[in-house]
Amino acid sequence: MNDLHPDLAQVVVSTEQIQSRVKELADQISADFTNGENLYLVGILKGAFMFLADLTRHLKVSHTVDFMALSSYGKTTSSGAVRILMDLREPIENEHLIIVEDIVDSGQTLDYLHRVLKGRNPASLHSCVLVRKQRDNLDVPIDYLGFEIPDVWVVGYGLDFADKHRTLPYIAELKRD
Ligand code: IMP
Ligand code: MG
C-alpha cells in the first residue's frame, strides 16, 4: 500500500484478511452454538465496535448485543489498572456470553472482564478477540482468536493511538519516533 498515512509504518493485517477471518470466526461461533440458546455478545468500547459490527452480520444464530466501556490509565499504552466506565444495561444471569475484544496485549483487560462477568453468573462465558500480540501475557483464555501479531503498537479497524486512526479498514503498525 503506497498511500499509507505518514504516521504508519506498514500494514499488519489487510482489509481482505480481516474480512475473511471475521467471517470464519462468525461461522465457527455459529457452528458451536446450535442448541437454540440466544448468544449475548458484549462488545468492549471503543475498540471493538467495528469488529462486533462485522462479526454480527455473519452470525447465523440468535444473538443480542450490548457494550461495556473500560478505562485503563494510559491513553496510548496499555497499563495495569482497569475500571468500568460504562456497564451493561441488563443483568446477564443465565445468558450465554461472548466477550468481543479488539486486542489482547498484557491480558489484564480480558482477565479483569472474565472475573467481573463470571461473578454475575452467566450460563457460559467465552471470548472472541481479533488480535493478540505475541508477547508474555497473562494466561487468559481466548476461545476465538483472529490473528497473532508482533508486539508493536497497531491502529485501525477500531484500534487507536490517542483516538486517531481508529476507522481505517485495515490494521497497521504505528511508526515509532
Ligand atoms: P491489555 O489489558 O494489556 O491486554 O490491553 C488491552 C487494551 O489496551 C486493549 O483493549 C486496547 O484498548 C489497548 N491496546 C493494547 N495494545 C494496543 C495496540 O497496539 N493498539 C491499540 N490499542 C491497544
Ligand atoms: Mg480495548
Side-chain angles (χ1 to χ4, degrees), residues 78 101-109 133 152-155 159-160:
S78 97
E101 234 315 27
D102 50 2
I103 190 165
V104 166
D105 185 353
S106 68
Q108 294 254 17
T109 306
K133 289 189 193 173
V152 294
W153 196 265
V154 287
V155 295
L159 295 157
D160 72 304

Side-chain angles (χ1 to χ4, degrees), residues 44-47 70 72 75-80 82 101-111 131 133 135 137 140 149-156 158-161 166 172:
I44 309 306
L45 295 175
K46 300 178 191 176
L70 303 176
S72 50
K75 281 228 152 172
T76 54
T77 56
S78 97
S79 69
V82 183
E101 234 315 27
D102 50 2
I103 190 165
V104 166
D105 185 353
S106 68
Q108 294 254 17
T109 306
L110 193 59
D111 180 63
V131 289
K133 289 189 193 173
R135 56 166 275 182
N137 49 25
V140 38
I149 61 161
D151 185 10
V152 294
W153 196 265
V154 287
V155 295
L159 295 157
D160 72 304
F161 175 75
R166 206 186 279 287

Side-chain angles (χ1 to χ4, degrees), residues 70-91:
L70 303 176
S71 161
S72 50
Y73 284 101
K75 281 228 152 172
T76 54
T77 56
S78 97
S79 69
V82 183
R83 68 195 167 94
I84 297 177
L85 295 178
M86 187 189 90
D87 209 338
L88 298 172
R89 294 181 182 225
E90 307 286 343

Side-chain angles (χ1 to χ4, degrees), residues 105-164:
D105 185 353
S106 68
Q108 294 254 17
T109 306
L110 193 59
D111 180 63
Y112 172 83
L113 276 168
H114 261 273
R115 283 185 282 111
V116 167
L117 296 176
K118 203 147 213 151
R120 299 182 188 179
N121 301 318
S124 62
L125 179 60
H126 293 86
S127 57
C128 178
V129 174
L130 186 65
V131 289
R132 174 171 61 192
K133 289 189 193 173
Q134 282 162 339
R135 56 166 275 182
D136 288 337
N137 49 25
L138 292 178
D139 191 18
V140 38
I142 300 176
D143 301 288
Y144 304 95
L145 176 65
F147 301 94
E148 298 240 37
I149 61 161
D151 185 10
V152 294
W153 196 265
V154 287
V155 295
Y157 201 69
L159 295 157
D160 72 304
F161 175 75
D163 255 327
K164 282 175 73 184

